[in-house]
Amino acid sequence: MKRRVLLIYTGGTIGMKRNPVTGALEPLDFEQLLCHVPELSEVPTEIASYQFSPPIDSSDMSPRLWTELVHIIADHYDQYDGFVILHGTDTMAYTASALSFMLENLTKPVILTGSQLPIGQLRTDGKENLITSIEIAAARRQDGTARVPEVCIYFNGHLMRGNRTTKQSADEFNAFESFNYPHLADAGVEISYHDELIHRPAAKAVMRPQYRLDANVIIFSLFPGVREDLIRHIIATPNLRSIVMRTFGSGNAPHSPWLLSALREGTRCGKVIVNVSQCLQGHVEMGRYGTGYQLQEAGVVSGCDATVEATVAKLMYLQGKYDDPEQVRKFMRQSICGEITIQ
């Protein structure tokens, strides 16, 4: 029996065409996009489609649209063996991270992909990304269960856990990487799955969609010369529930007494402050140096080896579920769906 995959087209470079007069990229409609991939008729999978109308630029992606995607997947969950989401590259890692939390107990593949060049261009990377994503979404193990029951990003021959992935290049076909977690599969002549790395749901798990997100989150980066008044202003922002603080190296910050005082005040007022490294690779270890230990004493939570994208999405998800900041802090320290490595 043919596997069934739902192809969800949100927009992005993969579905663009170049205006012959202005030279600017403009969106194709979905039928025009499919005309550029006649190879899909040879794929041994039944493919249905759902199109965002109008298609959106990924810079306009939002929690409201993440919720819409979860509704689409949940409403069609029993009808399809897997899902492929065509998405712009700029915010793809944010969307993949959010969906990984919102689709609790996921038992089927949800693969996000796109391209660096429009699918109608001669040198496009879009065709291979799309066709291989569909093949992965339909893949099954010998026992009939999904080969990769995760939210993933597939790009340029690599399948990566969605909440471990970040965009690393605006110009290269190798646009994404999961710096702190190995690839789940690599596609060459054959697709090599690394089964020992793939997250599997509990036996007889039932997928539970979560639709509520709380976006009262902000990101700020520390840098030499960061101003006290601006940091205090951010921490005192009304309705702000959490802060992703991008620190140096393995989670270090300036020795400034005012910074620790401001962070303590934020924690005391119920704000969740998460320490994430500005480095693309590595693990926050707040006990390694004195400044990191002081951050811990001020109530700052370690982001471990999470990406910024996953940390933001996880906070939105947890804040949608829990009003108590202590509950949010508790689950920020735990791996919910493989987004951090607990040491």
Side-chain angles (χ1 to χ4, degrees):
M1 187 174 74
K2 269 191 175 184
R3 300 294 179 191
R4 304 188 73 212
V5 169
L6 181 63
L7 184 58
I8 304 169
Y9 174 52
T10 69
T13 298
I14 194 168
M16 304 291 265
K17 64 178 177 179
R18 196 169 295 281
N19 186 302
V21 177
T22 66
L25 291 175
E26 299 173 344
L28 295 164
D29 67 41
F30 194 63
E31 293 305 318
Q32 288 175 302
L33 184 150
L34 292 180
C35 286
H36 289 287
V37 199
E39 297 90 341
L40 285 179
S41 62
E42 300 178 31
V43 175
T45 302
E46 185 179 329
I47 303 167
S49 63
Y50 185 103
Q51 178 179 356
F52 274 34
S53 185
I56 63 162
D57 187 287
S58 72
S59 60
D60 291 321
M61 187 53 69
S62 67
R64 178 184 65 81
L65 294 172
W66 293 338
T67 300
E68 184 174 338
L69 279 168
V70 172
H71 273 291
I72 293 166
I73 292 168
D75 291 348
H76 297 87
Y77 197 73
D78 294 334
Q79 302 166 40
Y80 295 94
D81 298 291
F83 302 84
V84 172
I85 301 173
L86 296 181
H87 195 291
T89 58
D90 286 347
T91 59
M92 187 184 292
Y94 283 99
T95 298
S97 295
L99 296 182
S100 74
F101 297 113
M102 297 171 77
L103 297 167
E104 295 181 356
N105 293 333
L106 185 65
T107 61
K108 298 180 180 182
V110 176
I111 314 297
L112 286 86
T113 194
S115 66
Q116 294 286 66
L117 287 175
I119 206 156
Q121 291 194 14
L122 187 61
R123 294 182 55 249
T124 185
D125 54 328
K127 287 187 179 182
E128 192 277 327
N129 286 346
L130 172 57
I131 292 168
T132 306
S133 293
I134 291 171
E135 184 173 346
I136 292 170
R140 287 292 177 273
R141 299 198 302 170
Q142 288 186 344
D143 63 3
T145 58
R147 194 72 189 259
V148 189
E150 291 201 37
V151 178
C152 300
I153 288 176
Y154 177 79
F155 229 87
N156 194 46
H158 304 306
L159 183 71
M160 295 157 281
R161 178 168 294 162
N163 58 36
R164 289 288 195 152
T165 308
T166 197
K167 186 175 181 181
Q168 67 170 353
S169 175
D171 301 316
E172 297 177 2
F173 286 153
N174 191 28
F176 290 91
E177 188 54 87
S178 55
F179 291 96
N180 286 326
Y181 198 78
H183 299 158
L184 303 184
D186 295 290
V189 175
E190 301 288 340
I191 300 175
S192 298
Y193 293 95
H194 309 305
D195 291 327
E196 71 282 2
L197 301 172
I198 296 170
H199 179 78
R200 302 219 165 268
K204 299 182 180 179
V206 177
M207 196 279 284
R208 293 195 308 266
Q210 298 297 323
Y211 301 113
R212 187 181 174 196
L213 296 171
D214 183 334
N216 285 300
V217 183
I218 199 165
I219 306 167
F220 71 71
S221 293
L222 297 178
F223 57 89
V226 64
R227 284 176 46 179
E228 176 182 358
D229 59 332
L230 298 181
I231 294 299
R232 288 191 179 276
H233 182 74
I234 291 170
I235 291 174
T237 302
N239 300 320
L240 180 66
R241 293 188 61 189
S242 59
I243 296 166
V244 179
M245 182 174 65
R246 300 182 69 236
T247 57
F248 309 128
S250 57
N252 300 314
H255 285 80
S256 308
W258 67 260
L259 178 60
L260 295 171
S261 171
L263 295 173
R264 282 194 196 95
E265 179 63 23
T267 300
R268 189 165 63 248
C269 292
K271 292 180 172 61
V272 178
I273 304 171
V274 183
N275 183 353
V276 175
S277 176
Q278 294 176 26
C279 300
L280 289 173
Q281 190 166 16
H283 200 283
V284 167
E285 297 181 58
M286 291 198 292
R288 178 180 290 185
Y289 300 105
T291 50
Y293 182 77
Q294 288 176 312
L295 292 177
Q296 202 169 356
E297 290 288 290
V300 175
V301 177
S302 172
C304 300
D305 58 350
T307 64
V308 169
E309 296 93 333
T311 305
V312 169
K314 186 175 180 179
L315 284 166
M316 289 185 184
Y317 162 78
L318 290 174
Q319 289 173 177
K321 295 188 77 170
Y322 305 107
D323 293 328
D324 182 1
E326 280 305 318
Q327 285 290 93
V328 176
R329 291 188 187 98
K330 171 187 171 184
F331 287 107
M332 286 303 297
R333 298 185 182 100
Q334 299 178 18
S335 177
I336 295 173
C337 46
E339 73 282 359
I340 57 174
T341 305
I342 304 296
Q343 293 186 337

